[in-house]
Amino acid sequence: MYSLLIARYGEISIKGKNRSDFEKKLVENMQRAVKEFDKVKITRIGGRVVIHLNGTDFRQVVDKLRWVPGIVSMSPVITVEQNLDKIKQAAVDLLNKVVQTPIRFKVEARRADKRFPLTSPELTKELGAHILRNVPDLKVDVHNPELTFTCEIREEAAYLYVEVIPGPGGLPIGTSGKAMLLLSGGIDSPVAGWMTMKRGLEIEAIHFHSYPFTSDRARKKVEDLAKKLAGLSGRVRLHVVHFTEIQKAIRQHCPEELSITVMRRFMLRIADRLAHSRKALALVTGESLGQVASQTLESMYVINHVTNIPILRPLVAMDKVDIIRIAKELETYEISILPYEDCCTIFMPKSPRTRPRLEETEKAERNLDIEALVQEAIDKTESVIYYKEMETGRTE
């Protein structure tokens, strides 16, 4: 029934002279998302993106596009030539198929092509009267409709649709640069990754693995989370850092109550190095203020002190219940709650310091060969790229 999908975007439209670059990136990302459908073609027309279905089921295409950042909404569309009688008949045919029970409705008509003989209000009135006479179970309600029938008169055709499917909004991935996501096996960090991808960031992930203290199943859990993020973004490169020797050294030489603070400082040192080598300009963490010992303001201050690279914390002011809701929408929640602990939890002291001081933390680190430990961990780092729909990654 539907020949097209139209995709709408929001912020891109106010990007001035850069708007074309944002539109091109959005179309590239959409084409990557639907590349399995050979017949689907995507073009830009008048501030929108038009997806030509060419016989492909629109539901399958919508399912692939619904997580593409930059898309605000989509509508499956019937096209008909600019002829009032044909528009009326197509409107009745469409509504007779979608209206199954009594429903309140209204008509919205827009005349983008001013050559069409009726104005927008005149077309709205004509179509509304015709639809009411020919489609049962409809009642006009212009203030609180359950269904809105829209007719857009455009230069190439008249577009008819009744459905508006929400997209994620935001900006196309790749328009805001690249950042490194510290990806644990928990609930928060995949959500943080998605939140920054929605703002146009390309993400690479870093995971700190402490085998044999943490199991292969814990690593598999993180790999599955990376695959989920790749399904949203097209691809994700995962760097697995072998953290065991660092944790053993911290355990042996540092006060137990400061071990989490020192561990997080090592993570940032390593992430900083990897970010520079991968030309990333920021780190992303899933930290939420006050959630655990390392996420107090005092802890963040001390931990941040080892790097000058910007650290983005998109969840910092969010409640846990809201983070869980997004994780469930992303389908990462069920993976994150699997009972395989990561290095952050396996060495958790009984009484971690919630308000560490910089001086005491730096003193605690004096017995550690920081540079040697960091370099050894980087040298042993493994990198894997996960692509959308891949079951296994490609090891580098």
Side-chain angles (χ1 to χ4, degrees):
M1 179 167 62
Y2 296 109
S3 57
L4 302 176
L5 278 172
I6 54 173
R8 307 173 187 85
Y9 48 76
E11 287 185 59
I12 294 175
S13 61
I14 60 172
K15 291 300 181 184
K17 293 179 180 178
N18 297 321
R19 173 175 166 173
S20 179
D21 293 336
F22 282 84
E23 290 176 334
K24 287 178 182 176
K25 194 64 182 176
L26 175 61
V27 170
E28 285 178 16
N29 294 345
M30 293 173 66
Q31 288 172 332
R32 187 181 301 119
V34 300
K35 67 179 181 181
E36 67 189 84
F37 304 117
D38 296 337
K39 296 179 180 178
V40 171
K41 305 298 178 189
I42 301 177
T43 58
R44 290 183 290 160
I45 297 178
R48 291 177 176 175
V49 179
V50 176
I51 302 102
H52 303 266
L53 296 170
N54 295 318
T56 308
D57 187 340
F58 84 91
R59 297 176 190 83
Q60 292 180 305
V61 178
V62 166
D63 189 54
K64 299 297 181 184
L65 295 176
R66 60 192 289 262
W67 292 106
V68 175
I71 296 176
V72 171
S73 65
M74 294 172 281
S75 290
V77 170
I78 289 175
T79 57
V80 58
E81 67 178 272
Q82 287 189 15
N83 176 291
L84 183 58
D85 289 337
K86 291 185 177 179
I87 293 172
K88 286 180 176 177
Q89 186 58 53
V92 170
D93 291 344
L94 172 60
L95 286 165
N96 272 323
K97 288 178 180 174
V98 300
V99 175
Q100 304 296 322
T101 58
I103 196 169
R104 304 186 307 275
F105 94 114
K106 75 172 183 178
V107 172
E108 287 186 352
R110 304 184 192 115
R111 189 185 59 158
D113 184 355
K114 302 303 181 188
R115 295 172 301 174
F116 192 75
L118 298 182
T119 65
S120 296
E122 289 171 341
L123 183 57
T124 299
K125 186 177 179 181
E126 280 280 338
L127 287 175
H130 185 77
I131 290 169
L132 273 177
R133 285 194 298 269
N134 292 280
V135 182
D137 298 327
L138 288 178
K139 180 180 178 182
V140 175
D141 187 340
V142 297
H143 300 295
N144 189 28
E146 297 170 278
L147 180 147
T148 298
F149 169 80
T150 303
C151 172
E152 296 184 16
I153 304 297
R154 306 184 74 85
E155 185 175 346
E156 64 278 8
Y159 288 7
L160 312 182
Y161 56 88
V162 296
E163 192 173 358
V164 178
I165 303 163
L171 298 173
I173 292 175
T175 56
S176 299
K178 184 162 72 175
M180 309 295 279
L181 167 68
L182 276 65
L183 182 65
S184 71
I187 296 168
D188 302 340
S189 54
V191 175
W194 165 244
M195 299 285 279
T196 50
M197 287 193 289
K198 270 185 64 179
R199 297 308 304 164
L201 275 178
E202 178 188 349
I203 290 295
E204 293 193 13
I206 303 173
H207 177 66
F208 296 90
H209 186 54
S210 293
Y211 184 84
F213 300 114
T214 54
S215 67
D216 284 335
R217 287 183 297 183
R219 175 170 173 164
K220 174 69 166 50
K221 186 169 85 164
V222 172
E223 291 170 345
D224 288 343
L225 290 172
K227 291 174 190 174
K228 278 290 181 184
L229 293 176
L232 299 171
S233 65
R235 72 171 187 175
V236 164
R237 187 187 301 262
L238 172 65
H239 306 275
V240 179
V241 177
H242 291 265
F243 207 56
T244 308
E245 295 307 315
I246 291 176
Q247 292 209 286
K248 287 164 67 177
I250 293 172
R251 198 174 188 183
Q252 183 175 356
H253 296 291
C254 296
E256 182 184 9
E257 65 273 18
L258 287 172
S259 60
I260 293 297
T261 306
V262 174
M263 181 189 71
R264 296 290 295 176
R265 281 162 61 91
F266 267 96
M267 289 179 173
L268 286 198
R269 289 184 179 103
I270 293 168
D272 180 298
R273 298 272 188 95
L274 290 173
H276 281 91
S277 68
R278 296 296 306 160
K279 300 187 186 321
L281 297 179
L283 305 180
V284 179
T285 76
E287 292 165 307
S288 176
L289 192 60
Q291 192 174 130
V292 296
S294 64
Q295 296 175 23
T296 64
L297 203 55
E298 293 85 351
S299 289
M300 289 181 186
Y301 172 79
V302 172
I303 292 166
N304 275 25
H305 228 264
V306 296
T307 179
N308 292 320
I309 195 169
I311 300 176
L312 309 181
R313 297 181 170 94
L315 313 186
V316 72
M318 292 180 65
D319 292 341
K320 192 72 176 183
V321 66
D322 294 324
I323 298 170
I324 289 173
R325 175 181 53 78
I326 297 172
K328 288 181 176 177
E329 291 173 357
L330 298 175
E331 298 179 350
T332 58
Y333 179 76
E334 294 300 326
I335 301 173
S336 294
I337 62 173
L338 291 173
Y340 310 128
E341 295 177 314
D342 60 28
C343 65
C344 293
T345 52
I346 205 79
F347 286 102
M348 181 65 70
K350 292 179 180 177
S351 301
R353 186 72 61 81
T354 57
R355 290 180 169 79
R357 288 181 286 110
L358 180 61
E359 297 77 11
E360 67 174 347
T361 305
E362 291 176 339
K363 182 179 178 182
E365 291 177 338
R366 283 175 192 163
N367 292 325
L368 301 171
D369 189 342
I370 294 173
E371 176 58 31
L373 288 167
V374 168
Q375 190 59 51
E376 182 184 9
I378 290 175
D379 291 342
K380 292 181 178 177
T381 296
E382 301 172 59
S383 297
V384 183
I385 303 176
Y386 293 102
Y387 293 91
K388 186 180 178 70
E389 308 296 346
M390 283 185 72
E391 292 299 322
T392 58
R394 191 182 76 199
T395 304
E396 293 191 314

